[in-house]
Amino acid sequence: MLSLALITILTLCVLAVMGMPIIIALAASVIAFLFFSSGWELALPQQTLVGVSDYILVTLPLFILAGNIMNVSGIADRLFAFASAAVGWMRGGLAHVDVMVSIMFGGMIGTSVADLAGTGSVMIPKLKKAGYPGPFACSITATSSGIGILIPPSSPMILYSAVTGTSLGALFLAGVIPGLLMGLVLMITIGILARRNGWSPMQSFEWRELMRTGKEAILPMGMPVLILGGLVFGIFTPSEAGAFAVAYAIILSMGVYRSMSFVDLRKSLVEATVLTGEVLLVVGFSVALGWALSAVPVALLDMMQYLFPFESTIPQIFLMLGLALIAGMVLDPLIPMIMPVLLPSLLALDVDLVHFGVLMVVTVVIGQVTPPVALALIVAARIGREDIVATFRANTPLLLSMFVLLILLIFFPALTTWLPSLMM
């Protein structure tokens, strides 16, 4: 059985490295398993339907749609002005603004690639025009976009909740402090690079400007706060939170600011439908892959117990995150693919699933900016029309800072579990 699992994994990796669409690679890997095991051919569609039947996945298209509406309506301009007033006075001011915009904008969209698409076309040209190296402009925009999948709402956390059964409200709360810490770590790295390279502030600090721009940005920033508060205090369920997010985005964009037309709304609906279909197909095939690899968790657990024959779970967590990181370098999205494989081992080791969920999301962020695939860096380099190898190289200090954050979260789980335990 383990040999069949190895064939399945190799099929998936080879097709992914060859550049095949991940949906085709997933389906082909399960078909390879069924072929060599003489399995029942209907198992693939059956397991795929099981994968997309979880009710929590109703929230996914709703949050994707809400994010698309906020993106198309030009909300980013208000957030950029507020971020400039708040952190533009520091050394490397515009790079700090890039990070802060990702903190605010990502909290509305919930996916890093969508955040990158929304802010990258604005921030990368601004950074290059201000004299920052093009590869650095692409790398900081790509890396900071990962903050968006830690600060709620978060599509990867929705997928993690669907696979593991973990409370979505608890996961959303658990991501707040790590998301802010990620922004802090990136800004510290920018400060060091700014001092070394002589990057100057973009403007002086003025309380009046901060208050003016903050007033204009307060309504857009209210979406994640209202969603999180509603979930924590039981005002609405996760699916109702998604519907509320869509209604809030439409009212804000078409009623309050009047910055979006019905043509723009139609465009948002079409884009959200296409993206939702792609993600749900990946989720369904990923569950089928987890079913095909059902023998792997037992072997993985036995291997971990052999390599680390002591009671502490930290070495086991390091090993599982290492496996997830390696997979995340070539696969996207990662969580629905690997969590069905890791979940039995986590349950056997009695690992806190909320804590591990945040660690997995941070690992996803790191995987998106780690070669050979580095999806976020590739997208950013294309937006900025920069050499991808130079962008990889410029991202090295930021990538190292992300690893420091991951290690910090592993050894201090209270950074993720304190807020959920306090509020829930």
Side-chain angles (χ1 to χ4, degrees):
M1 185 61 70
L2 287 178
S3 60
L4 289 176
L6 181 60
I7 292 173
T8 305
I9 294 173
L10 286 176
T11 302
L12 175 62
C13 292
V14 169
L15 292 176
V17 171
M18 289 173 59
M20 295 292 290
I22 195 62
I23 296 174
I24 296 176
L26 283 167
S29 62
V30 180
I31 291 172
F33 174 85
L34 294 172
F35 176 80
F36 287 106
S37 65
S38 301
W40 192 28
E41 290 78 2
L42 287 178
L44 176 59
Q46 287 179 340
Q47 294 298 322
T48 302
L49 289 175
V50 169
V52 299
S53 62
D54 196 307
Y55 183 72
I56 194 69
L57 290 176
V58 172
T59 61
L60 189 62
L62 294 172
F63 281 125
I64 289 175
L65 176 58
N68 275 350
I69 292 172
M70 299 291 274
N71 189 6
V72 170
S73 62
I75 298 298
D77 294 336
R78 296 175 180 270
L79 300 178
F80 176 81
F82 175 63
S84 300
V87 299
W89 53 272
M90 301 179 183
R91 284 180 179 268
L94 190 56
H96 290 296
V97 170
D98 193 329
V99 175
M100 189 167 179
V101 168
S102 290
I103 293 175
M104 297 183 294
F105 203 63
M108 300 169 205
I109 294 182
T111 62
S112 58
V113 175
D115 178 19
L116 177 58
T119 62
S121 57
V122 176
M123 292 305 307
I124 292 175
K126 284 181 179 292
L127 285 162
K128 293 173 67 175
K129 187 177 180 180
Y132 292 84
F136 171 79
C138 296
S139 65
I140 185 58
T141 305
T143 303
S144 66
S145 68
I147 299 173
I149 62 174
L150 276 171
I151 297 178
S154 165
S155 295
M157 287 186 178
I158 294 173
L159 298 176
Y160 182 90
S161 174
V163 174
T164 65
T166 310
S167 167
L168 184 59
L171 288 169
F172 278 0
L173 283 170
V176 173
I177 294 177
L180 297 176
L181 284 176
M182 183 183 293
L184 177 62
V185 167
L186 292 178
M187 292 177 77
I188 291 173
T189 307
I190 291 169
I192 296 172
L193 294 174
R195 186 172 296 276
R196 181 184 304 169
N197 296 289
W199 298 335
S200 59
M202 61 180 297
Q203 63 187 54
S204 59
F205 180 77
E206 295 182 10
W207 274 108
R208 181 179 298 178
E209 183 68 9
L210 180 65
M211 297 301 292
R212 183 189 68 81
T213 55
K215 183 179 179 180
E216 294 179 353
I218 193 169
L219 289 179
M221 290 189 295
M223 177 188 283
V225 175
L226 292 172
I227 291 171
L228 193 57
L231 287 172
V232 170
F233 294 108
I235 299 175
F236 38 61
T237 64
S239 56
E240 291 169 346
F244 171 83
V246 173
Y248 186 89
I250 292 176
I251 292 172
L252 201 61
S253 302
M254 303 187 72
V256 178
Y257 297 137
R258 297 185 179 180
S259 57
M260 187 176 71
S261 64
F262 282 101
V263 174
D264 295 329
L265 178 59
R266 180 183 179 276
K267 178 182 177 182
S268 297
L269 287 166
V270 172
E271 291 179 352
T273 301
V274 173
L275 181 57
T276 299
E278 293 175 354
V279 173
L280 288 180
L281 278 174
V282 171
V283 171
F285 287 139
S286 299
V287 171
L289 178 64
W291 164 81
L293 301 178
S294 57
V296 173
V298 177
L300 180 62
L301 182 58
D302 291 341
M303 181 182 67
M304 287 188 296
Q305 291 176 341
Y306 175 77
L307 294 175
F308 307 104
F310 40 85
E311 295 182 359
S312 174
T313 59
I314 289 180
Q316 287 90 336
I317 289 176
F318 267 109
L319 179 59
M320 284 188 280
L321 291 179
L323 294 172
L325 179 60
I326 293 171
M329 292 179 186
V330 296
L331 303 176
D332 183 74
L334 173 65
I335 285 178
M337 297 183 200
I338 200 167
M339 281 312 302
V341 177
L342 295 182
L343 183 58
S345 299
L346 292 170
L347 295 175
L349 293 167
D350 197 26
V351 174
D352 188 322
L353 292 182
V354 173
H355 178 218
F356 192 81
V358 175
L359 298 179
M360 273 298 302
V361 173
V362 175
T363 302
V364 168
V365 175
I366 295 174
Q368 289 180 341
V369 292
T370 303
V373 177
L375 176 64
L377 287 179
I378 290 175
V379 172
R382 287 177 178 173
I383 293 174
R385 298 181 180 179
E386 295 291 335
D387 179 68
I388 186 61
V389 176
T391 303
F392 285 170
R393 189 162 50 246
N395 192 59
T396 302
L398 302 172
L399 184 60
L400 292 175
S401 68
M402 297 294 292
F403 277 111
V404 171
L405 174 64
L406 180 60
I407 293 172
L408 182 69
L409 294 175
I410 291 174
F411 282 100
F412 297 96
L415 292 172
T416 63
T417 58
W418 174 75
L419 193 57
S421 63
L422 177 68
M423 301 298 293
M424 301 187 71

